């Protein structure tokens, strides 16, 4: 008898209970997670991810003045609106044949670095860590809390919390030290952002061609003062996260399987290098690779490409289980890219949105989210890429590519190294992030705080470059332009939680087609036309359950940790409906799964 057969023979008779969390609210719509859980064998047997809200930006953008695209699309999201504005500016610059002056690029980079600092901190410490705080662990895994009380924190010398239980108490909502400190840091980082982009989160000084921010020395010194004020917090956060997550693996053997899926990661790059970027499509391969976060696609731990042209041409929008009619019989908007490469009919440049509302049916159509996939010519697969919540993919791709080299952040020898200077109470600190063994919930969460340190290091670099330009006397921040009658453009950027692209077609001086693809469709997509689950579904389905509660008092904390690790929601709570759960059937079979497919 094989080991697998022995495991199956040891399975208890199944007790399948249907449980739903709907909505897990987002700024841009409602996320629902529908599961079937086998409580006898502590495993999720089935998962569907749904969204019940249709927004329709791709519909009402048609006919608009393309110069308004950034201001309109920033309203897609009330949290990362500036990421959309930035991406739209990149797409418009390409369409208009212009580039931002170097000073404008440094200002945009500083604004986006502040956004990463703000958003990742408030999400990690005020939302993700609610699922790891003392109050939650006491309610779901009291045995783990007891062990935490007796476990010393290896890095207490940095973060100051003596035991792992002390860390958990510091994460308690409204009362915990770390929880409240993160709220203070969120205020400071928003101030940093506003110094560069005017208003958070819908920038008032960011346009195609540049920015309206005046590059006075006081603007940069005000930003630097605030950045240095939070560096202690950043250093402590990395140490605290490592202590907590390392303990979690030890306390709950097998927890690496929670939220685990195949390594299928996409990153579209962030932070343009003004000495290289000209926004010409013909040069996109070069200026993409010069970004201070490297674009790329990783499959099973191997870097497939860092070429933004190849990344762009590989995007396919599949429908499958989403509430839309197909558009493949429509006239294409773009048959060939500016390099002469054929553009697929399922590429966003050629997409037409035809909403088709209907009753939700998990066997057919059940979500307003489409299913973006990336077509790998080598394997012939339509890959269901995920972003790892953003930081996981960014660090993974950048580490493997080895192209980033600045005084504060370098990618070398398959790892990312971050050097932060001395701050108020802590000495200079060197941090290192290497690709872990798993793409799972804990490693997505761990990567988030390392990317906070990455963004802080990059902000220091951008400040130095901006101040050097001020001293040289080149303070231009805007390039004049005219809108061509017919043109196309695409922008690639990283929203806080991952890949973001905007694709625009202009005809007769107006927008003829516009499709923004943020990380939510990539991560939260339903099963596609090939039957492939989306990343949320894939990460939750078949994962083990470690919560000690039974169906009557089940909180679903492991499921929530898996879903939240992708950063699907920010200033929102989880609204959970159980009603005690509904038992579907009890299966008496030594072969678990044989009687319920």
């Amino acid at each position: 008898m094989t080991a697998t057969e022995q495991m199956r023979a040891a399975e208890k008779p199944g007790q399948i209970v249907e449980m739903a969390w709907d909505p897990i609210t987002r700024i841009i719509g409602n996320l629902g997670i529908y599961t079937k859980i086998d409580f006898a064998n502590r495993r999720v047997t089935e998962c569907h991810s749904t969204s019940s809200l249709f927004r329709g930006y791709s519909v009402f953008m048609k006919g608009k003045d393309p110069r308004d695209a950034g201001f309109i699309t920033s309203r897609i999201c009330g949290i990362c609106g500036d990421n959309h504005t930035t991406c739209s500016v990149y797409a418009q610059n390409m369409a208009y044949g212009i580039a931002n002056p170097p000073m404008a690029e440094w200002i945009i980079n500083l604004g986006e670095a502040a956004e990463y600092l703000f958003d990742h901190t408030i999400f990690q410490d005020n939302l993700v860590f609610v699922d790891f705080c003392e109050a939650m662990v006491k309610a779901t895994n009291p045995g783990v809390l007891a062990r935490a009380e007796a476990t010393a924190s290896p890095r207490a010398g940095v973060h100051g919390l003596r035991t792992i239980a002390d860390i958990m108490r510091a994460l308690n909502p409204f009362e915990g030290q770390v929880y409240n400190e993160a709220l203070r840091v969120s205020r400071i980082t928003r101030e940093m952002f506003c110094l560069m982009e005017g208003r958070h989160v819908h920038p008032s000084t960011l346009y195609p061609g540049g920015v309206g921010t005046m590059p006075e020395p006081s603007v940069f010194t005000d930003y630097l003062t605030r950045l240095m004020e939070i560096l202690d917090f950043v250093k402590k956060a990395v140490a605290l996260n490592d202590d907590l997550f390392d303990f979690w693996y030890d306390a709950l053997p097998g927890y690496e399987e929670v939220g685990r899926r195949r390594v299928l990661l996409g990153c579209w790059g962030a932070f343009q290098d003004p000495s290289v970027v000209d926004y010409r499509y013909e040069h996109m391969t070069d200026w993409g690779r010069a970004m201070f976060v490297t674009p790329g696609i990783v499959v099973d731990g191997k870097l497939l490409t860092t070429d933004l042209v190849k990344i762009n041409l590989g995007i396919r929008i599949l429908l499958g289980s989403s509430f839309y009619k197909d558009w493949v019989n429509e006239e294409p908007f773009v048959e060939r890219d500016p390099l002469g490469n054929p553009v697929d009919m399922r590429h966003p440049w050629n997409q037409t949105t035809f909403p088709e509302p209907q009753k939700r049916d998990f066997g057919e159509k059940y979500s307003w989210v489409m299913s973006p996939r990336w077509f790998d010519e080598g394997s012939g697969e339509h890959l269901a890429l995920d972003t790892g919540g953003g930081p996981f993919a960014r660090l993974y791709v950048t580490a493997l590519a080895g192209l980033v080299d600045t005084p504060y952040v370098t990618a070398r020898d398959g790892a990312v190294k971050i050097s932060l200077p001395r701050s108020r109470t802590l000495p200079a600190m060197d941090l290192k992030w290497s690709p872990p063994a798993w793409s799972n919930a804990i490693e997505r969460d761990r990567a988030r705080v390392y990317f906070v340190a990455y963004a802080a290091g990059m902000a220091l670099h951008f400040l130095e470059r901006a101040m050097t330009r001020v001293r040289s006397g080149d303070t231009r921040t805007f390039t004049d332009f005219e809108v061509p009658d017919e043109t196309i453009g695409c922008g690639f950027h990283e929203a806080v939680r991952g890949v973001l692209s905007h694709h625009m077609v202009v005809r007769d001086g107006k927008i003829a087609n516009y499709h923004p693809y943020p990380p939510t469709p990539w991560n939260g997509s339903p099963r596609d036309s090939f039957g492939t689950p989306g990343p949320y579904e894939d990460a939750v389905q078949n994962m083990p359950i470690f919560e000690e509660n039974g169906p009557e008092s089940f909180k679903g904390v492991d499921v929530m940790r898996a879903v939240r690790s992708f950063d699907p929601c920010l200033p929102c709570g989880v609204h959970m409906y159980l009603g005690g759960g509904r038992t579907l059937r009890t299966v008496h079979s030594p072969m678990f799964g044989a009687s319920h497919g």
Side-chain angles (χ1 to χ4, degrees):
M1 186 180 278
T2 67
T4 301
E5 288 171 334
Q6 287 175 337
M7 268 177 46
R8 286 175 174 167
E11 297 266 8
K12 300 175 183 177
Q15 181 193 1
I16 311 299
V17 179
E18 185 178 72
M19 289 193 166
W21 293 260
D22 189 357
I24 302 173
T25 54
R26 290 187 59 100
I27 295 300
I28 58 171
N30 293 351
L31 169 66
I33 298 293
Y34 286 74
T35 65
K36 294 177 183 177
I37 299 175
D38 177 9
F39 278 94
N41 295 290
R42 314 299 293 177
R43 183 167 296 275
V44 180
T45 65
E46 189 176 307
C47 177
H48 290 83
S49 169
T50 76
S51 178
S52 57
L53 183 65
F54 173 67
R55 297 270 282 178
Y57 273 79
S58 57
V59 176
F60 62 71
M61 287 292 288
K62 292 185 177 183
K64 300 290 193 295
D65 189 318
R67 294 170 296 183
D68 291 335
F71 297 107
I72 297 172
T73 57
S74 87
R75 272 67 185 180
I76 289 173
C77 183
I79 296 300
C80 56
D82 61 285
N83 301 145
H84 281 283
T85 306
T86 300
C87 197
S88 180
V89 163
Y90 292 167
Q92 290 181 71
N93 283 353
M94 180 182 290
Y96 309 153
I98 57 171
N100 300 328
M103 179 60 81
E105 290 293 0
W106 295 127
I107 288 172
I108 293 172
N109 285 352
L110 284 165
E112 296 304 276
E115 170 67 3
Y116 294 134
L117 289 165
F118 159 77
D119 203 328
H120 286 321
T121 295
I122 202 169
F123 181 72
Q124 186 84 336
D125 294 331
N126 300 121
L127 280 170
V128 164
F129 273 157
V130 173
D131 290 335
F132 291 89
C133 75
E134 178 199 37
M136 180 63 76
V137 177
K138 185 177 182 179
T140 58
N141 295 86
V144 171
L145 181 59
R147 179 168 175 172
E149 295 282 7
T151 303
S153 300
R155 300 168 182 84
V158 177
H159 57 66
L161 296 166
R162 189 177 61 85
T163 68
I164 301 299
D166 289 336
I167 293 177
M168 293 177 180
R169 277 186 282 276
L171 304 176
N172 281 337
F174 309 114
E175 298 173 354
Q177 168 192 335
V178 171
Y179 184 95
N180 283 294
E181 181 67 6
L183 293 176
R184 188 185 74 85
V185 169
S186 73
R187 174 181 60 80
I188 295 169
T189 48
R190 291 183 94 171
E191 290 172 355
M192 292 165 61
F193 178 91
C194 292
L195 284 166
M196 296 300 151
E197 298 191 27
R199 181 176 58 193
H200 190 271
V201 298
H202 307 303
S204 57
T205 59
L206 182 53
Y207 334 108
V211 300
T213 304
M214 295 300 293
E216 298 174 350
S218 61
V219 172
F220 300 115
T221 55
D222 286 351
Y223 185 105
L224 176 60
T225 300
R226 288 165 172 79
L227 177 58
M228 295 306 294
E229 186 177 348
I230 67 167
L231 273 190
D232 273 356
F233 178 86
V234 172
K235 294 172 182 176
K236 290 178 181 179
V238 173
L240 181 150
N241 277 250
D242 278 339
D243 276 354
L244 181 64
F245 293 137
D246 290 350
F247 165 82
W248 215 263
Y249 283 135
D250 289 338
L252 292 171
Y255 211 84
E256 65 273 7
E257 295 301 320
V258 171
R260 184 180 178 184
R261 70 185 304 255
R262 182 183 174 195
V263 179
L264 294 170
L265 299 171
C267 169
W268 293 172
F271 301 139
Q272 300 289 355
D273 184 341
S275 67
V276 181
V277 66
D278 62 4
Y279 293 100
R280 290 175 58 84
Y281 187 92
E282 294 85 349
H283 302 153
M284 188 161 68
T285 299
D286 294 331
W287 53 257
R289 288 175 175 153
M291 287 180 175
F292 293 104
V293 171
T294 308
I297 291 169
V298 174
V299 175
D300 299 329
K302 297 181 179 179
L303 184 63
L304 290 194
T305 184
T306 57
D307 186 348
L308 271 183
V309 171
K310 186 174 181 179
I311 288 171
N312 175 53
L313 292 172
I315 297 174
R316 302 284 187 272
I317 310 303
L318 306 183
L319 292 178
S321 302
S322 50
F323 299 138
Y324 301 92
K325 295 179 183 177
D326 211 338
W327 64 83
V328 290
N329 294 322
E330 300 294 308
E331 178 187 352
F333 288 92
V334 181
E335 295 187 84
R336 294 191 175 272
D337 73 357
L339 288 168
N341 300 306
V343 178
D344 194 86
M345 194 61 192
R346 293 202 175 279
H347 187 276
W349 267 333
N350 287 323
Q351 180 184 344
T352 302
T353 301
F354 295 121
E356 191 176 39
Q358 56 195 277
K359 183 179 179 180
R360 183 169 59 202
D361 180 349
F362 289 132
E364 294 291 334
K365 297 179 181 291
Y366 57 88
S367 180
W368 281 109
V369 179
M370 293 185 185
S371 296
R373 300 291 187 258
W374 192 77
F375 181 66
D376 178 12
E377 291 182 343
S379 66
E381 289 183 275
H382 289 77
L383 300 175
L385 301 179
D386 72 75
T387 72
F392 190 67
R394 288 196 282 272
L395 291 170
Y396 212 127
V397 170
T398 301
L400 294 189
L403 298 176
V404 173
D405 186 10
T406 74
Y408 301 100
V409 179
T410 59
R412 189 180 303 141
D413 302 324
V416 170
K417 299 175 183 178
I418 305 161
S419 298
L420 298 179
R422 179 176 179 81
S423 47
R424 181 173 295 177
T425 65
L426 292 174
M429 187 173 292
D430 292 328
L431 305 170
K432 181 180 178 181
W433 185 94
S434 300
W438 311 289
S439 176
N440 64 8
I442 281 181
E443 297 307 333
R444 290 181 205 111
D445 289 339
R446 190 198 302 265
R448 190 171 295 113
V449 74
Y450 273 85
F451 194 79
V452 169
Y454 188 112
M458 280 301 180
L460 288 165
H461 177 60
F462 301 150
L463 280 168
E464 291 175 358
R465 299 300 296 272
M467 289 300 291
T468 298
R469 191 156 289 276
V470 168
R471 288 191 289 270
S472 75
D474 183 3
T475 57
R476 292 179 302 110
T477 59
F478 188 73
T479 301
D480 288 328
F481 64 89
E482 294 183 359
V483 179
D485 285 340
E486 294 197 8
T487 185
I488 61 173
C490 58
F492 290 88
H493 186 39
E494 282 285 302
V496 173
R497 52 210 49 83
V499 296
L500 176 61
S501 59
H502 282 218
H503 307 265
M504 181 173 73
V505 178
V506 174
R507 290 181 178 174
D508 298 324
K510 300 292 183 183
I511 293 175
N513 206 19
Y514 198 107
H515 286 278
Y517 270 95
T520 297
W522 289 91
N523 291 329
S525 62
R527 285 157 174 77
D528 63 27
S529 50
F530 297 99
T532 305
Y536 294 169
E537 299 176 329
D538 185 34
V540 172
Q541 194 160 278
N542 295 319
M543 70 172 238
I545 295 295
F546 289 83
E547 180 179 340
E548 296 170 24
N549 297 320
E552 297 76 17
S553 56
F554 188 66
K555 294 188 172 7
V557 68
D558 301 305
V559 174
M560 288 299 98
R561 287 176 187 143
V563 174
R564 282 193 179 280
S565 68
F566 290 96
D567 195 349
C569 123
L570 237 82
C572 51
V574 176
H575 299 273
M576 179 175 176
Y577 174 74
L578 290 178
R582 181 166 65 89
T583 300
L584 298 182
R585 54 180 159 259
T586 299
V587 180
H588 298 282
S589 169
M591 189 72 160
F592 173 62
S595 301
H596 49 89

